Amino acid sequence: MKFEQASPPNPIDQERVVTRPFTRIEGPLKVSGQAPYAYEYGLPEAPTYGFVLGAGIAHGRVTRIDTTQAEAAPGVLLVLTHENMPAQARSDTPVPQQREASPQLSGPEIRHYHQAVAFVVAETFEQARAAANLIEVEYEVTPGQFTLADTVDSGKEPKDAVDSVVGDFESAFADAAATVDLTFTTPDQSQAPMEPHATIAQWDGDQLTVHTAHQVVHWVRRGLALTLNVPQKDVRVVAAFIGGGFGTKLLFFSDAVLSAAAARLLGRPVKTTLHRPLIFNNTSHRAATIQRVRLGADPDGTLHAVGHDTWTGNLPGGDSEPACEQTKYLYGGEHRQIRTRQSELDLPPGASMRAPGEAVGMLALEGAMDELAEKLGLDPVELRLRNDVQFDPEKGPKRPFSSRRLAAALRTGAKAFGWDDRPRAPRERQDGEWYVGYGVASAFRTNLVMPSGATVRLNPGGTLTVETQMTDIGTGSYTVLAQVAAEMLGLDLNQVEVKLGDSDFPQASGSGGSWGANSSSAGVYAACDELRRDLAQKAGYQSANAVFRGGKVWQGAECTELSELAGKGGVEATARMTYGDLTEQFMQAGFGAHFVEVGVNAHTGEVRVRRALSVVAAGRILNPVTARSQCLGGMTMGIGSALMEALHVDHDLGLFVNHDLGEYHVPVHADIPDLDVLFLDELDDQSSPLRAKGVGELGISGVGAAVANAVYNASGVRVRDFPITLDKILAGWDD
Amino acid sequence: MRAFSYTRADTPQAAAQAAEATGTKFIAGGTNLLDLMKLDIEQPSRLVDVSRLNLRDVTDTPDGGLHVGALVTNTDLANHPRVKADYAVLTRAIVAGASGQIRNKATTGGNLLQRARCPYFYDTNLPCNKRDPGTGCAALRGLSRTLAVIGTSDACIAQHPSDMAVALRVLDATVSTLKPDGTARTLTLDEFYRLPEDTPHLETTLEPGELITGVTLPPPVGGTHLYRKVRDRASYAFALVSVAAIVDGDRVRVAFGGVAPRPWRVPDAEDAYAQAKADGRADALIDRAFEGARPTEENAFKVPLLRRTLKAVLAQAGQEAQA
């Protein structure tokens, strides 16, 4: 099925099951420990345990590696290094890939700290870890570049973030009545999912089965097959339950490649989890940015010049952190200049993390909007409303937004939050030791759709089974897909069983970029649509007139039980949703508004969020419980991003030094107050038959800026160097 | 984690004797040692489990003070009625640290002996004189935002991470120990903790095998007891700075955490406080207590933060005294 024109009315519009607040159907399995994550699958034979040893330098080469002691250690079965690693495909970048070959232990060169230099397999995890500590590695260190700020002049225009220039920005900016010209910096950040990267690999002859923690099953299947030089058909990937991905599990790493290679050599299953201190430097992270935002406006706030420059870095061949992205679309203004420059750094690989681009780009753009509003003496909400635009500002009215309720989100949020009651000037309001401030920011995230397929099977007895490679990374995919299938076939939710994350099932969108729920639901929709036609035909009805309700298919007053149509063998349909050019014709994005109240301690400069509200317009909300959870998670991550999350680079040694969850701070419960989420009614006819858009990343995109703006409103200090830690507040006060 | 032998001791003296040999460590709650062993930072060849010793009582001393057995858990100590009534700064400090789960396992003796949280100490690839003497201190030029500003040396700038110990210092607590030869010692915290100088791997004056048997609190001194911990997130973080204070009219006792290799208290500074004019007292105390501080560029904020935090504590003490 191809989605290439605005969706006509369809069975989802009944909203009998879809849009209802069901809690997660797999919840009982998870809380009772019966949902197996990658590392937890039972195996027919005793597994062996792998342990990855990471490089102790950032840049250079291994000159000697002595595994003698490790090989002689108790329980050790195999030690792999670059000297004995089986043949693999090559890659022209040291950055692990989503679906291309990503070799490990491929040579003596060290491209980043904690790159795998050895892999020990033993009978127990403890034996493997102990033996890894016995490996002697000698290195030749060569100088590296670890400091983004020192590379801004050498940055090049990246292929994945090309310049976007409309009009004459420089002149318009120079002529503008009011301007801001501000530089923001955001640090490297780690996805740090609760479930570490983990894999169990086992071979049966030439057939490889991999249980792994990955967001997109067919990507890792392809990537692993290419890496190991085996046909894709011989690789089965299972990822039925995943404990958070946040982008890092769009890629595959040493746990997957080395477990698979070792399992083949040993003829036994190998299970490997990356230990926490390795994850921060061995896997991917979000790269730091330096951003310069220039805005030029009329005295009434109308923008004419919108400029955003981002400098970021990565290993050669790595993606950019596309922090300018939202600035193309969020506000009007006829002169626009968006540029990214990427330099080569010898830090660990940068890759997607929680709303790549927007999560950190919005910190800069929405901080700049706040400062412009202050300069103009305008309500920051009003400034945003005045620059709302219903079409892609670069392309003009010929490319309208498919749906855009930014203004409604701002107005609804302002009212619900009590924005009119905000302190009008910094340090105006105090509650005990705490200065109180309010902040606002828009929310924006480009809506992405991906092809996705599914099989639906009407079982004897009339229940339905859905099978798709789609993953559930903690987001609610199981529940949402069950709702979609139940809606389409006129069943109750408990009559639908959903099976996910197995490469034996039809290829699906997977989870990432907030595309998962909408895209995979569309795949299930397509399969159900086909099944409905088959069943109507079986019942002797004209499919156009058939209505599925209450476990029956109806034509007028006539009906047939689905269980009857299922017969003894059941009825099955497989289909795939693909997309035409509606994302070209229409700019598609989710919108919203974030409102935050913070306290800044008048003595110590500590910042604590007191309350926050996000208003979200993201098309049809397929399940308000799971969508709300997504937004709460995003808001929490946004608060963390604003106030604490930072990988600290050692600029001499070239690593992220705070590589554990003790020192890499994410918010704890005590940091997160009452959060609230309001969903606006919206149907997006151009996005999919579900009329939905991506939700999760809207929660993070902008909320950090609202925190920063609230911190200013409370304390009078603008911190543009994230995260906003108390020392930076004190520096502002003590100036 | 390297292979090690494991024995349980039946008496404190047997424990001390069993632990005298090089490479031996005591283990009680294990909340710090086991983590460090897994990371190959601690590599003991032998563990002597003292967790079953009869050192878990809290008893009144004849002079009206309190003796706390070395194995009293942090949770039990914080919740002890006499501690809450007479040594409230200790309760407040303990509950400001770690998490409920960790406090349930962590012991009084173990808390005193917890090791540095410097990120360079935590990675065996990196230079660290404390972990691997002679390799250098990477923190001096690297990530030092959380580290110490005073009492440090060119060999080490790690801070002591304990909250509990800061309160014990302000209470003038002493540490009771037992040596393998059966002799007992009583040490003030300043005698117990060493400054790093050029041997940062030696953190206390304990001799091989010497076992902490308990901590003694002198008779209560009254006053308003406060513990203020300033950190980067609301919970589950080590102190950037902390202030343990007992305020009684014009007299204060103040110890500082998060800023030195041991709980930092300078009695002269408390005299300077008493002698200064009312509006200059906090500054007088900080100026004296942190005379000679040598912060790094990254943690220079700690000195003004200490000043601000002390003022906040004194303001709070005033409010609590009124209430």
Side-chain angles (χ1 to χ4, degrees):
Chain A
M1 183 178 262
K2 190 167 187 183
F3 186 75
E4 50 192 345
Q5 52 188 330
S7 179
N10 68 53
I12 300 294
D13 297 330
Q14 300 170 93
E15 298 191 349
R16 190 180 50 82
V17 190
V18 171
T19 74
R20 301 298 160 188
F22 291 104
T23 55
R24 292 167 199 228
I25 58 177
E26 84 286 14
L29 283 182
K30 284 183 172 168
V31 297
S32 61
Q34 296 177 78
Y37 290 77
Y39 198 68
E40 300 174 336
Y41 281 85
L43 293 167
E45 58 180 310
T48 65
Y49 293 82
F51 190 85
V52 175
L53 180 67
I57 64 162
H59 196 229
R61 57 191 287 117
V62 174
T63 52
R64 189 180 77 93
I65 186 159
D66 184 347
T67 60
T68 318
Q69 281 191 70
E71 283 165 15
V76 171
L77 301 165
L78 176 69
V79 180
L80 287 177
T81 69
H82 70 275
E83 292 175 350
N84 64 345
M85 179 70 186
Q88 313 165 79
R90 296 170 60 88
S91 172
D92 52 11
T93 168
V95 178
Q97 299 293 298
Q98 297 176 339
R99 48 187 148 173
E100 303 296 333
S102 303
Q104 297 280 342
L105 302 177
S106 55
E109 292 78 21
I110 301 301
R111 301 304 302 265
H112 64 85
Y113 192 77
H114 271 172
Q115 171 189 323
V117 292
F119 185 63
V120 180
V121 185
E123 295 287 356
T124 71
F125 169 79
E126 289 76 12
Q127 288 171 333
R129 181 174 60 188
N133 288 329
L134 301 174
I135 297 173
E136 291 173 19
V137 194
E138 289 172 15
Y139 302 98
E140 178 185 299
V141 177
T142 47
Q145 178 54 267
F146 311 119
T147 306
L148 174 63
D150 292 347
T151 66
V152 294
D153 294 333
S154 66
K156 296 191 170 58
E157 182 181 355
K159 284 186 195 133
D160 61 359
V162 295
D163 288 359
S164 184
V165 179
V166 177
D168 181 356
F169 169 80
E170 295 292 350
S171 302
F173 182 72
D175 295 344
T179 60
V180 290
D181 179 353
L182 301 165
T183 298
F184 298 80
T185 57
T186 66
D188 297 281
Q189 298 176 330
S190 178
Q191 295 92 346
M194 188 83 84
E195 179 203 23
H197 303 72
T199 298
I200 301 176
Q202 61 186 130
W203 291 82
D204 181 4
D206 290 334
Q207 307 287 311
L208 170 65
T209 300
V210 177
H211 293 85
T212 194
H214 202 276
Q215 295 172 222
V216 186
V217 165
H218 68 98
W219 288 4
V220 63
R221 181 195 204 190
R222 182 175 190 273
L224 263 183
L226 291 174
T227 307
L228 302 169
N229 291 317
V230 299
Q232 280 192 62
K233 67 173 176 52
D234 289 348
V235 179
R236 179 178 171 215
V237 171
V238 180
F241 295 97
I242 295 152
F246 310 117
T248 187
K249 292 176 186 167
L250 293 169
L251 285 58
F252 61 101
F253 297 96
S254 52
D255 56 305
V257 174
L258 297 175
S259 296
R264 182 161 227 186
L265 290 172
L266 289 169
R268 290 179 64 184
V270 176
K271 61 190 284 184
T272 306
T273 183
L274 298 186
H275 59 299
R276 185 64 70 183
L278 195 71
I279 287 173
F280 296 80
N281 287 281
N282 175 269
T283 71
S284 64
H285 70 285
R286 186 207 301 281
T289 68
I290 300 169
Q291 301 178 52
R292 182 183 185 194
V293 177
R294 286 177 288 171
L295 302 173
D298 284 342
D300 71 356
T302 306
L303 288 168
H304 295 290
V306 176
H308 195 157
D309 293 288
T310 294
W311 290 267
T312 184
N314 207 339
L315 287 160
D319 292 343
S320 72
E321 178 65 32
C324 292
E325 193 63 17
Q326 71 290 319
T327 309
K328 297 180 189 169
Y329 308 111
L330 191 48
Y331 301 118
E334 59 276 35
H335 302 286
R336 316 177 71 83
Q337 180 170 284
I338 312 292
R339 298 178 302 196
T340 300
R341 293 293 176 267
Q342 183 174 355
S343 53
E344 288 189 7
L345 294 176
D346 298 304
L347 290 169
S352 295
M353 169 169 162
R354 309 174 195 157
E358 282 95 336
V360 290
M362 291 289 276
L363 291 174
L365 177 62
E366 290 297 277
M369 284 294 278
D370 202 64
E371 297 203 39
L372 180 63
E374 186 188 27
K375 219 167 180 177
L376 291 165
L378 269 182
D379 175 355
V381 169
E382 182 59 30
L383 176 65
R384 288 170 172 86
L385 292 173
R386 286 184 189 176
N387 290 290
D388 192 21
V389 59
Q390 293 302 316
F391 50 83
D392 174 348
E394 289 188 349
K395 305 271 170 28
K398 67 182 181 197
R399 190 184 187 218
F401 280 94
S402 56
S403 56
R404 173 170 166 133
R405 299 201 69 197
L406 173 64
L410 286 162
R411 290 194 177 102
T412 302
K415 192 169 174 197
F417 193 75
W419 180 248
D420 281 350
D421 183 42
R422 72 190 181 281
R424 292 308 202 266
R427 299 208 236 189
E428 180 182 295
R429 188 170 303 168
Q430 200 159 350
D431 177 6
E433 289 189 353
W434 299 84
Y435 294 122
V436 176
Y438 286 22
V440 64
S442 299
F444 171 91
R445 173 72 179 154
T446 299
N447 183 58
L448 302 170
V449 286
M450 297 288 240
S452 196
T455 293
V456 290
R457 186 165 53 248
L458 183 66
N459 302 306
T463 62
L464 193 76
T465 300
V466 179
E467 292 176 343
T468 166
Q469 278 186 14
M470 179 60 188
T471 50
D472 189 327
I473 58 173
T475 43
S477 310
Y478 279 100
T479 313
V480 167
L481 296 184
Q483 288 175 267
V484 169
E487 191 81 80
M488 291 294 287
L489 272 302
L491 297 170
D492 290 338
L493 193 66
N494 61 14
Q495 293 174 287
V496 181
E497 177 193 27
V498 179
K499 295 181 175 176
L500 299 182
D502 190 325
S503 60
D504 284 352
F505 301 149
Q507 189 171 306
S509 67
S511 304
S514 295
W515 68 62
N518 189 29
S519 300
S520 64
S521 291
V524 171
Y525 172 95
C528 289
D529 185 67
E530 188 143 324
L531 183 63
R532 283 165 58 102
R533 271 188 274 129
D534 291 349
L535 293 171
Q537 194 178 19
K538 267 194 151 186
Y541 304 153
Q542 296 214 321
S543 62
N545 299 334
V547 172
F548 287 72
R549 179 164 295 167
K552 303 180 179 68
V553 54
W554 299 75
Q555 180 168 259
E558 265 184 81
C559 71
T560 309
E561 295 278 346
L562 292 185
S563 54
E564 189 183 315
L565 296 173
K568 284 186 182 161
V571 184
E572 182 178 297
T574 296
R576 178 173 175 80
M577 182 66 80
T578 60
Y579 295 87
D581 65 353
L582 286 171
T583 54
E584 297 299 317
Q585 290 182 42
F586 296 89
M587 178 59 205
Q588 300 187 7
F591 289 88
H594 300 290
F595 292 83
V596 172
E597 178 184 325
V598 304
V600 179
N601 190 280
H603 292 290
T604 61
E606 289 161 288
V607 179
R608 298 286 183 258
V609 175
R610 293 159 65 99
R611 63 190 178 106
L613 167 70
S614 295
V615 184
V616 169
R620 176 179 270 138
I621 300 303
L622 302 176
N623 180 326
V625 173
T626 56
R628 182 170 189 275
S629 285
Q630 285 288 287
C631 291
L632 295 178
M635 293 165 76
T636 302
M637 295 169 203
I639 290 168
S641 177
L643 299 179
M644 61 191 82
E645 275 198 65
L647 288 167
H648 293 288
V649 179
D650 184 302
H651 295 278
D652 288 338
L653 300 169
L655 74 147
F656 302 132
V657 189
N658 54 330
H659 52 59
D660 58 43
L661 288 175
E663 299 302 324
Y664 182 81
H665 282 183
V666 297
V668 296
H669 282 94
D671 291 299
I672 301 302
D674 281 345
L675 305 182
D676 205 0
V677 181
L678 294 175
F679 292 111
L680 296 186
D681 288 335
E682 186 179 76
L683 295 173
D684 192 315
D685 299 341
Q686 317 295 343
S687 75
S688 82
L690 283 300
R691 307 181 207 282
K693 292 187 289 193
V695 175
E697 290 166 327
L698 274 175
I700 191 174
S701 300
V703 72
V707 171
N709 297 339
V711 167
Y712 172 73
N713 184 238
S715 68
V717 181
R718 293 276 185 196
V719 179
R720 303 183 196 98
D721 173 27
F722 289 92
I724 305 171
T725 47
L726 62 89
D727 44 313
K728 297 170 190 173
I729 304 277
L730 297 184
W733 283 343
D734 293 341
D735 273 350
Chain B
M1 189 181 286
R2 313 230 169 184
F4 57 90
S5 67
Y6 170 89
T7 55
R8 280 181 197 159
D10 296 326
T11 65
Q13 171 114 32
Q17 286 168 351
E20 199 173 3
T22 307
T24 308
K25 287 260 177 192
F26 295 118
I27 184 163
T31 59
N32 191 208
L33 179 61
L34 286 177
D35 284 352
L36 294 172
M37 288 170 67
K38 290 175 186 174
L39 294 169
D40 209 33
I41 296 162
E42 293 272 17
Q43 303 171 350
S45 53
R46 185 177 191 200
L47 289 186
V48 177
D49 186 346
V50 296
S51 64
R52 288 167 179 77
L53 297 180
N54 185 22
L55 297 171
R56 31 182 90 254
D57 293 331
V58 179
T59 49
D60 295 338
T61 59
D63 63 0
L66 205 60
H67 181 79
V68 181
L71 295 174
V72 173
T73 67
N74 288 179
T75 297
D76 288 346
L77 183 56
N79 287 315
H80 192 277
R82 272 212 66 200
V83 174
K84 287 166 96 166
D86 295 335
Y87 307 99
V89 65
L90 182 55
T91 295
R92 287 181 159 179
I94 290 171
V95 300
S99 65
Q101 295 93 325
I102 290 172
R103 294 194 297 266
N104 287 343
K105 284 298 286 180
T107 63
T108 304
N111 187 316
L112 290 172
L113 291 173
Q114 64 181 299
R115 303 210 63 195
R117 295 286 171 169
C118 174
Y120 297 94
F121 177 71
Y122 263 77
D123 186 332
T124 54
N125 293 315
L126 306 180
C128 173
N129 289 320
K130 184 182 281 296
R131 191 191 63 248
D132 196 357
T135 53
C137 174
L140 286 171
R141 283 165 53 88
L143 177 61
S144 60
R145 183 170 173 275
T146 62
L147 302 181
V149 299
I150 196 161
T152 56
S153 69
D154 289 342
C156 182
I157 58 170
Q159 84 283 33
H160 197 270
S162 172
D163 292 299
M164 183 193 81
V166 184
L168 291 179
R169 179 67 189 88
V170 86
L171 289 165
D172 283 327
T174 55
V175 181
S176 311
T177 69
L178 183 68
K179 293 189 196 180
D181 66 4
T183 57
R185 287 207 292 170
T186 300
L187 303 165
T188 66
L189 286 189
D190 280 359
E191 292 164 346
F192 177 79
Y193 288 116
R194 288 170 185 263
L195 293 180
E197 298 175 346
D198 54 2
T199 54
H201 59 293
L202 302 175
E203 293 170 351
T204 69
T205 54
L206 290 173
E207 295 171 14
E210 189 170 6
L211 175 72
I212 298 175
T213 55
V215 166
T216 302
L217 302 174
V221 295
T224 303
H225 289 223
L226 294 169
Y227 188 76
R228 178 85 169 230
K229 181 176 181 179
V230 181
R231 45 188 155 178
D232 280 327
R233 61 181 169 190
S235 181
Y236 216 65
F238 293 94
L240 292 169
V241 307
S242 71
V243 175
I246 300 174
V247 183
D248 192 358
D250 293 338
R251 295 293 308 180
V252 292
R253 296 157 171 246
V254 184
F256 300 93
V259 290
R262 66 182 184 209
W264 196 251
R265 185 173 173 201
V266 178
D268 283 358
E270 294 164 14
D271 293 337
Y273 175 94
Q275 287 154 16
K277 288 187 193 159
D279 62 352
R281 284 175 164 174
D283 288 326
L285 192 151
I286 295 290
D287 288 345
R288 178 67 193 87
F290 290 92
E291 201 176 316
R294 8 174 277 161
T296 65
E297 196 179 326
E298 279 194 357
N299 70 15
F301 73 93
K302 285 193 173 191
V303 178
L305 178 60
L306 282 161
R307 204 177 291 277
R308 288 172 159 278
T309 307
L310 178 60
K311 288 175 183 173
V313 167
L314 295 171
Q316 191 183 344
Q319 286 161 11
E320 292 203 6
Q322 279 178 5

